Amino acid sequence: MDFSVLALRSAIASGSLTSEALVQESLERIRRLNPVVNAFSQVYEKEALEEARACDRERAEGRLRGPLHGIPMGVKDLFFVADRLCQRGSAAYSNFAPKATAPIVQRMIDAGSIMIGKTTTTEMGWSGSGCSDFYGPTRNPWNLELTSGGSSSGSGAALAARMVPFTLGSDGGGSVRIPAAFCGIFAMKGSLGRVPAWPWSATEMLSHAGPMSLSAKDSALLFNILKGPDPRDHQALPDDGADYTAPRSLGSLRVGFVPGLFGFSVAPEIERVVREAVATLSTTLGIDIRPVVLDWQDPIGIFETLWVAGRGVAYGAQADLSAFGSGFRGLVEASARYDLADYLAAAKARAEFAGSVHALFEDIDLLLMPTVPVEPFAADREAPEGFTSPSEVLAWTGWTPFTYPFNLSGNPAASLPCGLTANGLPVGLQVVGRRHADALVMAFCQQAEDHLFQNKIPPLVVAGGKAGWGTPSNPTAEISSCNSTGEHS
């Protein structure tokens, strides 16, 4: 079955596919693959089937709820859904059930989608791997020994394993783009405020919400549904009025390419795949892609202050520290190093760094680079083995130096799958646009994907879930914990 949102939408609307059959297929894939991938933390089988049957009755009567009528979705377990557990990947919130639903979830439900379950995340979305003390590691469908990336770990893995047609994720430092790159799917972090985010986050100046899907074409439709203000998010942008699915000429685009940032070394296979993809796009799209030299200083210190101080103080004041996993507990403890002067200095430095990013886009329209400079690593680690991070607390920022800068600046940034390494692992091409130019980034990605990865499927899925990698994940079993250095404790 084709799990493209656009294809499923047409099939359900025409009556050639029932929502019940689609939800049954999704549930069957979850039953078969989730024991080894560990993408879903909760599955609402009975409720999803009831909603699917209701959608089929309504379609038979000539009524469609919206453009996603009867299509199932996975929801990252950081998003509130009324009266459903929102465990946030943490024992501290294992029994927490909010009374209201986040706008990103409600808009999808209003458009006709059916929530099939909650997907795994790192604790409070704190890190970039799929390692979780609470759920167990989320594994990469391309190789079950390896991480899916995070913090939208389950959302990325569920898509790659074709468990659902789309998912919802959040991105405070790369959390939709990292799993998109590692799992061979598409995700875009829109401009800050493009999709309303609620409830309030202690790192609201960094935090974005949005869809994740198998293709940019699917995400274009999903962004059309999600964008626009909500009164609960004071940072939310007005609707830009653009139809993200509309074709657009790319001939006059000024596109820059940078092979890396801040002197970080890029794995040879990542560099090869990305350079080949850039060369392909220059030829097939008929655009001039020119090298760019950037003299930006690594803003890791700015990001770490905002991330650690904000999250550490906010969450540390709400719960018993012993209920947190070792990695997040270390973050909370480290927040005591910072005072108000540190925080305000970081806020000022963030504004200055963002200004340098925005100045670049006076000369170019889009910037291309690798999404992540490393290949996926062991599923039970926070960082590649032998890796040394410049951050004492956030090991993941050391191997994600190309994602968090654009959270600081608020620019739209997408990860587009662009090829496979010699090890058969996906590589992400990051496409960054000027602030508020979300429609342009999406238009470029929709045309680019026709010439690159072309929706390749992991061997695990091709083999029907019988690929012999790794061991089953069991979120209810006793597991080894992961700390910020990637060592077991």
Side-chain angles (χ1 to χ4, degrees):
M1 182 183 292
D2 184 352
F3 256 36
S4 156
V5 173
L6 295 174
L8 295 171
R9 175 191 180 192
S10 297
I12 288 176
S14 69
S16 62
L17 175 68
T18 65
S19 176
E20 182 178 3
L22 174 57
V23 169
Q24 287 279 22
E25 175 68 16
S26 186
L27 289 168
E28 192 279 327
R29 295 183 186 198
I30 293 171
R31 281 191 291 268
R32 186 174 76 246
L33 298 177
N34 202 55
V36 291
V37 174
N38 193 29
F40 276 91
S41 58
Q42 302 167 53
V43 179
Y44 312 128
E45 181 170 347
K46 179 182 177 182
E47 297 90 338
L49 285 170
E50 288 175 353
E51 280 297 306
R53 291 167 187 141
C55 284
D56 289 337
R57 289 193 298 270
E58 292 166 18
R59 195 212 64 78
E61 296 166 356
R63 295 183 289 122
L64 295 179
R65 296 180 179 182
L68 302 177
H69 183 93
I71 298 176
M73 66 173 170
V75 175
K76 184 178 182 179
D77 199 14
L78 289 183
F79 290 119
F80 282 15
V81 179
D83 301 319
R84 294 285 186 192
L85 285 178
C86 186
Q87 296 175 311
R88 306 182 193 180
S90 178
Y93 294 92
S94 58
N95 297 312
F96 173 67
K99 296 302 180 184
T101 298
I104 188 173
V105 180
Q106 192 61 55
R107 288 181 183 183
M108 290 309 196
I109 293 173
D110 291 346
S113 185
I114 298 169
M115 183 176 65
I116 209 164
K118 286 290 197 80
T119 57
T120 59
T121 177
T122 61
E123 191 163 25
M124 313 299 177
W126 84 277
S127 68
S129 80
C131 185
S132 168
D133 289 346
F134 185 69
Y135 303 120
T138 296
R139 300 178 181 274
N140 193 322
W142 290 87
N143 183 332
L144 294 173
E145 297 285 359
L146 305 179
T147 184
S148 62
S151 67
S152 303
S153 41
S155 289
L159 279 168
R162 305 308 195 265
M163 295 180 187
V164 283
F166 76 94
T167 56
L168 299 179
S170 58
D171 189 314
S175 289
V176 299
R177 289 162 290 156
I178 298 165
F182 280 180
C183 293
I185 57 101
F186 178 83
M188 183 174 88
K189 172 195 78 65
S191 297
L192 182 64
R194 179 63 65 208
V195 175
W198 180 88
W200 174 85
S201 165
T203 51
E204 66 170 3
M205 76 295 290
L206 305 172
S207 298
H208 304 63
M212 303 170 70
S213 63
L214 293 175
S215 70
K217 294 178 182 65
D218 283 350
S219 274
L221 170 66
L222 300 174
F223 262 93
N224 276 352
I225 296 166
L226 289 173
K227 62 191 177 79
D230 182 280
R232 290 170 289 182
D233 180 4
H234 74 99
Q235 297 184 114
L237 297 172
D239 191 339
D240 58 8
D243 176 1
Y244 287 14
T245 66
R248 180 169 181 164
S249 172
L250 303 179
S252 61
L253 280 185
R254 302 168 299 167
V255 181
F257 169 62
V258 60
L261 292 174
F262 317 129
F264 279 88
S265 113
V266 176
E269 276 296 286
I270 302 289
E271 182 174 7
R272 176 188 66 80
V273 172
V274 167
R275 285 189 181 276
E276 289 178 359
V278 169
T280 296
L281 294 179
S282 180
T283 301
T284 57
L285 298 182
I287 55 178
D288 178 31
I289 303 177
R290 63 180 188 264
V292 173
V293 178
L294 300 176
D295 60 358
W296 301 342
Q297 296 298 306
D298 184 3
I300 177 61
I302 305 168
F303 182 85
E304 181 171 323
T305 299
L306 297 175
W307 190 263
V308 175
R311 288 179 176 239
V313 171
Y315 288 113
Q318 295 178 28
D320 178 359
L321 293 189
S322 66
F324 290 132
S326 57
F328 192 78
R329 187 166 60 249
L331 181 150
V332 172
E333 292 167 347
S335 67
R337 305 175 189 174
Y338 301 98
D339 59 20
L340 181 58
D342 295 325
Y343 194 84
L344 289 176
K348 179 177 183 290
R350 173 199 172 227
E352 293 170 350
F353 174 77
S356 66
V357 175
H358 302 325
L360 170 68
F361 288 95
E362 294 295 313
D363 299 319
I364 63 173
D365 300 303
L366 296 173
L367 180 65
L368 307 182
M369 69 176 67
T371 304
V372 184
V374 300
E375 294 186 47
F377 47 86
D380 60 353
R381 300 185 67 89
E382 291 291 355
E385 187 171 3
F387 179 85
T388 301
S389 172
S391 169
E392 295 180 19
V393 182
L394 304 178
W396 63 273
T397 57
W399 54 268
T400 60
F402 307 160
T403 55
Y404 61 77
F406 302 109
N407 291 81
L408 289 167
S409 66
N411 292 66
S415 182
L416 178 70
C418 66
L420 296 174
T421 67
N423 293 326
L425 299 173
V427 175
L429 175 68
Q430 186 166 216
V431 182
V432 186
R434 71 168 54 86
R435 188 171 46 168
H436 305 156
D438 305 58
L440 176 60
V441 173
M442 192 68 78
F444 178 87
C445 290
Q446 289 179 80
Q447 294 187 42
E449 69 185 357
D450 290 337
H451 306 286
L452 298 176
F453 192 73
Q454 297 182 324
N455 210 15
K456 290 183 172 63
I457 300 175
L460 175 74
V461 178
V462 175
K466 297 178 181 178
W469 295 318
T471 56
S473 297
N474 183 353
T476 63
E478 183 176 345
I479 60 169
S480 57
S481 63
C482 307
N483 63 28
S484 62
T485 63
E487 298 296 328
H488 293 111
S489 60

